[in-house]
Amino acid sequence: MAQVARKGAALHFSSYMRRSWPLVVSFAMTTSTRDITPIAVVAKTVPTPDHSIQSPKPTVASEVADIPTTRFAKTPYAWDELVDIVERKQDLSLLARSVEQQRVYKAYRDALRREWKTVYDHILHSKFGFQKRIVSSPPQESCALSSDSAEYNDIDSKNPLWEAFPPLEEVNSSQLSLCRNDFPYYFEDGIEHWCLWKLGGSVTPEEIENAKQKLMNSKDVVKTLHWINPPHLKSLPDIDHAHILCLRKGVKNDFQETTHHSI
């Protein structure tokens, strides 16, 4: 009887390990040598902390994110580490922001959702200098009030909803704009994050090289690095853009600084 009991216990333990194995593999694959908090893995087994990043509902705010950030970087990325991630490993999911950077980024997304009709409208205005105008009627998904109601008109006058003009669907020409990334990842001082935005087509290798050369000529840049998000990570598929990192000496990198420059 003792042998039968031991055999039954062994079978039960083996079955439990088979059921638990996917979770163990998932944790091993998402753990790296960097000092990064794997929020996505922890969320599978314990309640999600208040500061963690939740999967957003399908609103315009969810279009803002470039690379889905499900964890926070505790230490800044060095240049050699970025080269390893982008060129050798080619795994952009390893990039992350600090907790403070993500807090500021979330506040920005919330404000954008309140103030702009879509993310595209905001990009056209802030990156390409398009005019903006107040939306004549509220988006159906964001307001249940009728556009001619007194209550809606009062709300609209205090907190107008903006759109770019002309709208994206009426843009016929190809345009480029090289701008500092408003919310880069957690980099060491002296590393800048730029974006090359393009209307009317995809960014070409020649356009990326021209932008990198422009940065090399206008700033104390000693090295550059770039990537284009794969299709499944493109949150704004109708406005293509490339990411360009610059390494320069003697400059403190402030992630809240924003500098725009059109080509």
Side-chain angles (χ1 to χ4, degrees):
M1 292 295 293
Q3 293 179 347
V4 172
R6 286 195 298 271
K7 183 177 181 181
L11 289 174
H12 177 74
F13 178 77
S14 175
S15 175
Y16 170 79
M17 287 300 293
R18 285 196 298 271
R19 292 195 303 271
S20 303
W21 178 248
L23 178 60
V24 175
V25 171
S26 176
F27 182 85
M29 292 178 66
T30 55
T31 303
S32 66
T33 56
R34 283 203 104 257
D35 192 9
I36 294 179
T37 304
I39 300 299
V41 174
V42 174
K44 295 181 181 180
T45 55
V46 299
T48 305
D50 292 338
H51 63 264
S52 64
I53 302 169
Q54 305 290 338
S55 298
K57 296 181 179 179
T59 64
V60 293
S62 66
E63 302 172 31
V64 177
D66 264 339
I67 301 174
T69 304
T70 56
R71 54 188 177 180
F72 304 122
K74 293 184 178 179
T75 57
Y77 295 89
W79 183 261
D80 290 342
E81 188 175 11
L82 293 169
V83 173
D84 182 62
I85 291 173
V86 174
E87 294 187 347
R88 299 189 183 94
K89 295 178 180 176
Q90 297 184 3
D91 186 359
L92 302 179
S93 67
L94 296 176
L95 297 174
R97 298 183 180 92
S98 67
V99 173
E100 176 61 15
Q101 285 176 315
Q102 191 64 31
R103 183 192 65 78
V104 175
Y105 179 55
K106 183 179 182 301
Y108 160 81
R109 291 191 305 173
D110 293 342
L112 189 152
R113 180 173 54 185
R114 294 190 302 267
E115 298 171 6
W116 288 89
K117 182 179 178 181
T118 69
V119 177
Y120 289 111
D121 290 280
H122 173 70
I123 295 298
L124 291 175
H125 174 72
S126 63
K127 310 306 180 188
F128 294 94
F130 281 33
Q131 297 296 315
K132 67 177 183 177
R133 63 184 181 185
I134 297 176
V135 178
S136 57
S137 60
Q140 295 180 357
E141 67 274 8
S142 63
C143 184
L145 300 174
S146 62
S147 59
D148 58 351
S149 69
E151 186 174 359
Y152 169 73
N153 290 331
D154 181 60
I155 295 175
D156 185 65
S157 63
K158 295 178 181 178
N159 302 290
L161 189 67
W162 296 99
E163 66 178 1
F165 181 80
L168 181 61
E169 56 269 21
E170 295 182 11
V171 177
N172 298 319
S173 60
S174 178
Q175 300 182 41
L176 289 172
S177 181
L178 180 62
C179 309
R180 281 285 293 271
N181 190 326
D182 297 325
F183 300 96
Y185 300 102
Y186 194 19
F187 301 139
E188 287 187 347
D189 291 348
I191 300 177
E192 296 179 353
H193 190 168
W194 293 72
C195 285
L196 178 63
W197 299 86
K198 183 175 183 179
L199 296 177
S202 300
V203 178
T204 67
E206 181 180 4
E207 291 167 341
I208 294 175
E209 291 305 316
N210 290 340
K212 291 166 70 172
Q213 189 60 49
K214 193 176 188 70
L215 291 170
M216 293 281 288
N217 294 338
S218 62
K219 305 173 78 67
D220 186 21
V221 176
V222 294
K223 293 181 181 180
T224 61
L225 180 67
H226 79 273
W227 74 85
I228 297 179
N229 288 340
H232 69 282
L233 290 179
K234 289 188 176 183
S235 56
L236 296 171
D238 292 335
I239 303 181
D240 197 27
H241 63 282
H243 297 263
I244 301 176
L245 302 185
C246 297
L247 175 64
R248 61 190 183 106
K249 298 179 180 179
V251 178
K252 183 177 181 180
N253 184 42
D254 182 359
F255 74 89
Q256 297 188 61
E257 177 186 353
T258 302
T259 304
H260 304 309
H261 179 72
S262 297
I263 300 177

